[in-house]
Amino acid sequence: MNRRHFLQSLAALTAAPAWAAPTPWKLNYMLASAMYGNLSLTEILPEVKKTGSTGIELWPKKHGTQREELDAMGHDKFADLLKQNGVSFGGSTRYDLGPLKLTEEIKLVKKLGGTFIVTGGTGEYKVTPEQLRLNVKAFVEKMKPHAALAAENGVEIGIENHINNLIDTPDSLRWLADDIRDLPGIGIALAPYHLPQDTQLLSDLIRHIDQKMTLFYAWEHGLGCMKPMPKEEEIQQMPGRGKLDWKPLLQALREVNFTGPTEIFMHPTPRGIPILPTAAETTAEIVRAKNHLDSLI
């Protein structure tokens, strides 16, 4: 081998060593604007990177005002703000629109480089298990054209399991996952808060949902979020504050190789306020929860 061939071979080995270890699995954090209540985007966007997140998801009233602020300031100005802060746009939560009226939101999310919209299911849920199964199937049929439009635009509609909703129980989640398994453009935004705080159940649901997970909420029930309570009690919805053992859930996420957005999340009472009095305190609490989750991986 002459010198030139030797150097070329050496360069190739250096560029792609056969012994290189695979990249370790980790959570991909997304920041929910609602964690900062009604604070402005100019106040929130500088906090995104500090929380360890790569992007932001916008919420509308009553949980936040940032989705309305986006429309008021204009899409181009919002895109400039994202660029100035080195932040990407993940998507939006639109319970206000519901799953069947997302056409314009899909276009907007695509325009801004986002990939998901979170909303709820629709249909009667106070029915027998047999009827609920049929209602989930009927819901998926209604969603097919909307999912197709989302897929065409590189967006996924994440249906969140939520109390008083068609998709609420573990069974309804399993059925939804099964019915959308081969349907592009629609997935599940899994919220452990709204489910029994059973680590085996939650881990099994993660494995069952598998590649249909649009978004994962790092959000436990704690003492709930439906009535005023001292902040040290309310904040037990955050990972590492309540009683939920997150390690089995993280192991399940690793097993299915979930690389979609994970949002550290909780609801304050009343809605529309930051989870802690200031942006700095809110950011610090999100960082604490992130460090807790990362320490378990």
Side-chain angles (χ1 to χ4, degrees):
M1 182 183 291
N2 63 33
R3 177 180 171 80
R4 186 180 65 177
H5 288 163
F6 172 75
L7 291 174
Q8 287 174 340
S9 300
L10 186 62
L13 286 171
T14 304
W19 44 262
T23 303
W25 179 85
K26 63 180 182 177
L27 294 172
N28 175 27
Y29 292 101
M30 180 72 55
L31 184 67
S33 71
M35 297 290 276
Y36 293 83
N38 294 336
L39 295 184
S40 70
L41 283 166
T42 54
E43 294 174 275
I44 298 171
L45 287 176
E47 303 299 308
V48 177
K49 281 189 170 180
K50 297 176 189 176
T51 68
S53 303
T54 57
I56 189 166
E57 180 216 3
L58 300 189
W59 283 63
K61 297 176 181 177
K62 60 185 177 179
H63 299 283
T65 53
Q66 297 79 30
R67 180 60 188 81
E68 289 86 354
E69 189 182 355
L70 162 61
D71 287 337
M73 74 167 55
H75 303 162
D76 291 341
K77 184 175 180 182
F78 176 65
D80 287 342
L81 280 176
L82 290 173
K83 188 174 181 180
Q84 289 168 25
N85 288 279
V87 171
S88 65
F89 176 65
S92 61
T93 287
R94 299 308 305 260
Y95 264 87
D96 54 331
L97 296 176
L100 305 176
K101 297 179 180 179
L102 294 173
T103 299
E104 294 305 313
E105 193 72 3
I106 289 168
K107 294 176 184 177
L108 171 73
V109 170
K110 178 190 178 182
K111 177 182 177 182
L112 293 171
T115 58
F116 66 88
I117 301 168
V118 175
T119 189
T122 183
E124 290 296 323
Y125 56 90
K126 292 183 178 178
V127 293
T128 64
E130 293 77 15
Q131 186 60 50
L132 182 62
R133 178 72 185 96
L134 294 173
N135 291 357
V136 171
K137 276 190 172 295
F139 168 65
V140 171
E141 283 300 315
K142 287 181 183 178
M143 286 302 298
K144 283 184 176 178
H146 306 279
L149 178 65
E152 287 170 15
N153 286 275
V155 175
E156 188 163 277
I157 301 169
I159 305 300
E160 182 190 348
N161 59 292
H162 200 288
I163 191 170
N164 299 326
N165 190 277
L166 178 70
I167 308 303
D168 178 13
T169 65
D171 278 343
S172 63
L173 269 169
R174 293 186 192 98
W175 296 331
L176 177 61
D178 291 341
D179 290 346
I180 64 173
R181 193 72 66 190
D182 299 316
L183 192 61
I186 185 171
I188 290 170
L190 184 65
Y193 173 94
H194 292 294
L195 293 162
Q197 302 296 279
D198 178 326
T199 55
Q200 186 65 57
L201 170 71
L202 294 170
S203 301
D204 287 346
L205 280 171
I206 289 169
R207 294 185 184 95
H208 191 95
I209 294 167
D210 197 10
Q211 298 304 304
K212 295 307 291 184
M213 185 99 71
T214 304
L215 182 145
F216 180 73
Y217 292 98
W219 179 23
E220 62 183 281
H221 190 271
L223 298 176
C225 66
M226 300 306 293
K227 62 182 181 181
M229 63 184 76
K231 187 57 71 173
E232 62 268 20
E233 295 180 4
E234 181 178 81
I235 212 164
Q236 288 185 36
Q237 300 169 62
M238 296 285 280
R241 294 281 192 187
K243 296 179 180 178
L244 186 64
D245 178 6
W246 284 91
K247 195 163 189 177
L249 279 67
L250 295 171
Q251 179 59 37
L253 290 169
R254 185 204 294 260
E255 286 177 24
V256 301
N257 194 32
F258 175 68
T259 57
T262 291
E263 290 188 351
I264 293 171
F265 196 76
M266 65 168 281
H267 277 317
T269 299
R271 306 296 189 260
I273 63 170
I275 65 165
L276 287 171
T278 67
E281 290 172 292
T282 296
T283 296
E285 175 57 22
I286 295 170
V287 170
R288 184 211 56 76
K290 174 188 180 296
N291 290 342
H292 174 72
L293 294 172
D294 290 346
S295 74
L296 301 175
I297 294 174

